Amino acid sequence: MDKNSTNTRIVQFLPTISYGDAIGNDTFAIRDTLENAGYSCEIYTETIDSNLKIHGISGIKNIKDYNDDADIIICHVSTGWKYMLSLDKLKARKIFIWHNITPPRFFEAYGDFGRAKECEEGLEQLHSVRLVPSLCLTPSLYNKTELENFGYLCPVHRLPILTNSDGEKDCDEALVSRYKSDGYVNILFLGRISPNKSFQDIIDAFYFYHKLINPKSRLFLVGKGDVTVDYCNAIWEYPAAIGLDDVIFSGHVSDRQKNAYYKIADVFLCMSEHEGFCVPLLEAMHYKVPIVAYDSSAVSETLGGAGLLLKSKAPAVVAEAINRVVQDAKLRETLVLNGTERLADFEQKKIRANFLNEISSFIQYWKRKRTIFFDVTVQRRFDAGTGIQRLEKEELKRFYQAGNDFKVVPIYFSNTGEGLLECETGREIQPQTGDIIYSPDLCLDETVANKAHLDKIYTGGGVQIWFFVHDLIPVRFPETCSDKLIPAFVKWLKVIFRYTGIIGNSESTINDVKAWLTENPGIERNPNLRFGWVWSGCDFSSRFGKIAPAKQAEDFPPEEEQSKSVRLLMVSTVEPRKMYDQAVPAFNMLKKRGADITLDIVGREGWKVKKTVNMIKGSPYFGTSLFWHKNGISDEDLARLYEKADAVIVASKWEGFGLAVTEGAYYGKPLILRDIPIFREIAGDNAFYFSGYEPEDLARAIEEWLPLFRTGKAPSSAGIRLTTWQDHTDRLLEILTG
């Protein structure tokens, strides 16, 4: 018995549980594994298959039906479910098991807009609750990457699906006798009839094989019809429509029948275009059935070399692959042997042990005596993909990974002044001596609203409260900010200096903060106020995107056009302080003078920029050599732009840091920078500087830089000291915990 198991109650939540379904089997196996280890484990679901009602499952029609006294909730995520949005009201710690949600496009293609909407809502819910769990488990690295792309920052660990059996299973011997030894080649696919499974491609490949290679062959398609009725009807009618015999649809089968089909099969054929894991691949390996599969989603990862993996779905290619497996005894033997070896990686005894270790480690993590309460107020409400949010995402992910004696709890400040609340449970935090509250999120109004709570926590003694100041632009350059921001920012400043300390993103920012405090002696402050600073990271170490980030492919210049011009890149929100109203006219001037250059602008549309936006879109070069990527460009595409750029321009009137400077240096690109203190702090002599705020000032500077670049004499960014996000977080933790 696990030493943590005594009196630990664990509850599994999932929207529906079905007989013979991989997720349902996983749920039962988890329950059995936990109970055998001494834990109490229950299952709650909204819809229960009639065949499973005797299996001790509790139905819920409302989240209030659930008695909220569990220690841990394990939520299986595979579709949209209204109760997902209520999980943060339950007091237990949360673990998500991410099985994947089929992309809506598969259902839209066949007119099943109801199912498509359900999947779309599920993906939106997945994003909305990204800060609720403190651990995620998922059966594949493919799924892990998806979760990270949806903004999940807690630990995401790979753990293959559990089942309740390792050995041979009973099968329908009559079915085996009927089909096994009659000289036919039997091709099998097992799975529900759903558009993402690409049954039409399986049938097309079999048509080619059956008609042109081996007429003594048959195809078994084992699985029930999905709710996408038009697709199911089309698949059921398709073989007859094309004059194809020997296609057998089994419908939903018992476990005994399913096992018989595996024994019958000579080849397992998978043409699926979306799988989060694909359990039938393991089942085929278990029954020593060689596998031919299309390389998509998690399929290649699950196979691990134990199948013939195809890059093409062309019927002739697939049919020939089937024929090779049937005719080439050595290849067949190799595939079967590889499958047997691959199965060792999915040994259930090992997976169960790993799962119990995850649970034990999770429990131990929450027993850590000290806590860092990490403020995510703004990004919890709206993930805008700003530089500030990027910083805090990188920090929070690494805080979770830090091997210290702190646990990390994401929190948000109530907008009505009701306190500081946990994202995971909605409970008001109760910090103890030695705990730390850290706020990098620039939650202005909410901080002010909760001043009384902060005062009470701080004056109670033993709790540190730190705020991150990214810059003082709203008070230094108010004309560049939105009208609502300035008074809110000032009120925020009047609160944050009362507590433990201030961290800045540069020495320049901290010097500016100290100068501002000197200029405003009436601001209430802690006489022992501490200061620290740490540069932002520059590496694209992880991909944090919005839901389905738009890849503005149409905005990318053609490759042949890219190679002819000197490519300039600007990366920042389009707002007044970034000085696009200088840069764009300067670019137009240079083009008019015959300069062979292109300009990529990466940044969403900000505030007070109607004139600037019209200027960008009204440029005679817009869409040909001036490109604005403004609608959620992914980190992959941003990295691509950095790689292809010849230089990075940062024209900001003022910055607390200037992430584009170090990211440009990370990619080895020359830098054209406005001559301001922070850029000198970062780049020193490793950049080309310019001054002045008129378009002609920047145009002249670029004209001076171009011949230097073409002759290899432009300042190189190679000498800039780069800080990774790991360096950043390590130093930050030193400041907070030192």
Side-chain angles (χ1 to χ4, degrees), residues 334-384:
T334 299
L335 293 177
V336 169
L337 178 62
N338 289 349
T340 301
E341 292 176 351
R342 178 60 172 157
L343 275 179
D345 296 328
F346 301 101
E347 181 188 0
Q348 288 299 298
K349 183 178 179 180
K350 183 193 305 182
I351 296 172
R352 285 193 288 270
N354 290 341
F355 175 74
L356 290 174
N357 183 62
E358 290 284 0
I359 297 298
S360 178
S361 298
F362 186 75
I363 292 171
Q364 288 301 312
Y365 178 83
W366 284 105
K367 288 182 178 179
R368 292 183 181 181
K369 295 188 180 303
R370 296 197 292 171
T371 305
I372 296 177
F373 295 100
F374 193 107
D375 172 28
V376 292
T377 303
V378 177
Q379 72 152 302
R380 174 181 176 270
R381 183 173 64 245
F382 177 57
D383 185 2

Side-chain angles (χ1 to χ4, degrees), residues 145-331:
T145 299
E146 282 207 327
L147 272 188
E148 291 172 347
N149 284 341
F150 273 93
Y152 279 69
L153 304 167
C154 66
V156 181
H157 297 162
R158 177 181 174 272
L159 186 80
I161 286 177
L162 280 164
T163 67
N164 272 329
S165 176
D166 282 310
E168 285 291 331
K169 302 173 183 178
D170 185 28
C171 77
D172 185 337
E173 294 296 344
L175 192 61
V176 175
S177 298
R178 180 179 178 186
Y179 291 113
K180 180 62 177 174
S181 302
D182 59 358
Y184 273 68
V185 169
N186 296 315
I187 300 166
L188 170 68
F189 178 70
L190 188 144
R192 73 185 190 281
I193 301 177
S194 178
N196 60 299
K197 306 286 186 179
S198 299
F199 278 74
Q200 68 277 10
D201 294 320
I202 296 174
I203 294 170
D204 285 342
F206 177 68
Y207 180 94
F208 197 102
Y209 178 77
H210 184 72
K211 295 289 187 181
L212 301 178
I213 297 176
N214 180 10
K216 291 194 68 175
S217 57
R218 61 171 74 90
L219 173 64
F220 293 98
L221 297 175
V222 178
K224 64 181 178 180
D226 197 63
V227 294
T228 305
V229 176
D230 287 350
Y231 180 75
C232 290
N233 289 336
I235 292 301
W236 287 326
E237 295 168 1
Y238 189 37
I242 60 176
L244 180 61
D245 299 322
D246 293 309
V247 177
I248 299 169
F249 291 96
S250 72
H252 190 52
V253 298
S254 67
D255 286 343
R256 293 181 70 253
Q257 290 171 320
K258 180 184 73 171
N259 300 335
Y261 282 115
Y262 279 116
K263 284 194 171 184
I264 291 166
D266 297 296
V267 178
F268 186 87
L269 178 62
C270 176
M271 292 287 102
S272 181
E273 293 191 2
H274 185 266
E275 296 285 352
F277 183 74
C278 198
V279 169
L281 295 176
L282 301 189
E283 294 173 340
M285 294 177 203
H286 175 78
Y287 281 100
K288 303 186 184 305
V289 182
I291 298 166
V292 175
Y294 177 62
D295 186 3
S296 75
S297 51
V299 170
S300 62
E301 180 186 341
T302 301
L303 278 177
L308 197 60
L309 201 62
L310 306 179
K311 298 293 183 181
S312 170
K313 280 190 171 188
V317 172
V318 180
E320 183 54 39
I322 295 170
N323 194 45
R324 281 186 60 202
V325 171
V326 171
Q327 296 295 327
D328 189 334
K330 187 173 182 179
L331 172 61

Side-chain angles (χ1 to χ4, degrees), residues 380-526:
R380 174 181 176 270
R381 183 173 64 245
F382 177 57
D383 185 2
T386 63
I388 291 175
Q389 290 185 341
R390 181 184 178 107
L391 173 140
E392 68 185 65
K393 290 172 183 176
E394 296 283 0
E395 289 177 350
L396 179 54
K397 183 173 183 179
R398 285 166 178 76
F399 273 32
Y400 274 117
Q401 298 168 349
N404 54 37
D405 61 349
F406 285 88
K407 57 182 175 288
V408 181
V409 177
I411 64 169
Y412 61 98
F413 290 32
S414 164
N415 59 5
T416 57
E418 296 173 355
L420 283 58
L421 311 176
E422 291 186 3
C423 292
E424 188 166 13
T425 67
R427 292 181 296 190
E428 183 176 353
I429 67 171
Q430 302 294 330
Q432 306 297 315
T433 297
D435 290 347
I436 297 169
I437 296 172
Y438 170 60
S439 177
D441 203 29
L442 203 61
C443 55
L444 305 178
D445 295 335
E446 295 89 345
T447 299
V448 175
N450 288 281
K451 175 178 172 295
H453 287 274
L454 292 168
D455 286 348
K456 182 179 179 181
I457 291 169
Y458 190 63
T459 56
V463 178
Q464 297 186 50
I465 302 177
W466 291 83
F467 285 88
F468 200 105
V469 176
H470 300 269
D471 57 60
L472 291 182
I473 288 165
V475 294
R476 294 301 194 192
F477 301 94
E479 71 281 0
T480 67
C481 300
S482 66
D483 295 335
K484 292 182 180 180
L485 174 63
I486 300 162
F489 190 82
V490 172
K491 290 178 181 177
W492 178 73
L493 288 176
K494 290 179 179 180
V495 172
I496 66 172
F497 298 115
R498 301 162 54 86
Y499 309 111
T500 305
I502 303 298
I503 299 172
N505 51 6
S506 66
E507 187 175 16
S508 296
T509 294
I510 288 300
N511 288 339
D512 196 29
V513 168
K514 291 177 179 178
W516 188 84
L517 283 171
T518 300
E519 296 162 15
N520 295 271
I523 294 291
E524 187 176 356
R525 57 175 290 183
N526 175 5

Side-chain angles (χ1 to χ4, degrees), residues 98 100 123-124 126-128 130 136 138 140-154 156 379 383 385 390 393-394 397 540-551 632-637:
W98 168 233
N100 213 294
L123 294 172
E124 291 173 355
L126 180 71
H127 181 71
S128 296
R130 65 196 179 281
C136 291
T138 191
S140 65
L141 295 178
Y142 173 82
N143 281 3
K144 181 179 188 293
T145 299
E146 282 207 327
L147 272 188
E148 291 172 347
N149 284 341
F150 273 93
Y152 279 69
L153 304 167
C154 66
V156 181
Q379 72 152 302
D383 185 2
R390 181 184 178 107
K393 290 172 183 176
E394 296 283 0
K397 183 173 183 179
F540 286 94
S541 56
S542 54
R543 301 192 299 271
F544 297 114
K546 300 177 182 178
I547 297 176
K551 292 202 170 191
I633 187 172
S634 68
D635 274 3
E636 292 91 334
D637 282 342

Side-chain angles (χ1 to χ4, degrees), residues 480-666:
T480 67
C481 300
S482 66
D483 295 335
K484 292 182 180 180
L485 174 63
I486 300 162
F489 190 82
V490 172
K491 290 178 181 177
W492 178 73
L493 288 176
K494 290 179 179 180
V495 172
I496 66 172
F497 298 115
R498 301 162 54 86
Y499 309 111
T500 305
I502 303 298
I503 299 172
N505 51 6
S506 66
E507 187 175 16
S508 296
T509 294
I510 288 300
N511 288 339
D512 196 29
V513 168
K514 291 177 179 178
W516 188 84
L517 283 171
T518 300
E519 296 162 15
N520 295 271
I523 294 291
E524 187 176 356
R525 57 175 290 183
N526 175 5
N528 299 313
L529 186 67
R530 292 158 59 184
F531 295 95
W533 62 270
V534 55
W535 280 3
S536 296
C538 61
D539 50 326
F540 286 94
S541 56
S542 54
R543 301 192 299 271
F544 297 114
K546 300 177 182 178
I547 297 176
K551 292 202 170 191
Q552 302 287 306
E554 67 276 8
D555 292 341
F556 284 83
E559 291 292 333
E560 63 273 12
E561 189 175 321
Q562 295 173 7
S563 63
K564 294 179 181 179
S565 300
V566 173
R567 298 195 64 198
L568 306 174
L569 174 64
M570 297 180 72
V571 181
S572 66
T573 302
V574 176
E575 46 105 343
R577 175 172 53 91
K578 305 297 185 178
M579 295 301 293
Y580 284 102
D581 56 350
Q582 178 188 25
V584 173
F587 174 79
N588 292 340
M589 286 180 179
L590 291 169
K591 290 294 291 183
K592 191 172 182 180
R593 295 171 189 171
D596 194 5
I597 59 176
T598 63
L599 174 63
D600 285 291
I601 295 170
V602 179
R604 64 184 179 85
E605 183 178 332
W607 48 89
K608 293 186 176 181
V609 288
K610 184 176 181 180
K611 180 180 177 182
T612 306
V613 168
N614 291 336
M615 184 184 299
I616 295 172
K617 293 183 176 180
S619 168
Y621 310 102
F622 185 71
T624 56
S625 54
L626 171 60
F627 304 92
W628 184 13
H629 315 270
K630 71 172 187 173
N631 294 323
I633 187 172
S634 68
D635 274 3
E636 292 91 334
D637 282 342
L638 179 56
R640 174 188 172 192
L641 287 172
Y642 270 119
E643 288 169 349
K644 293 185 176 296
D646 293 305
V648 174
I649 299 175
V650 189
S652 303
K653 185 180 290 187
W654 194 262
E655 289 283 359
F657 185 72
L659 195 55
V661 176
T662 51
E663 287 182 342
Y666 177 78

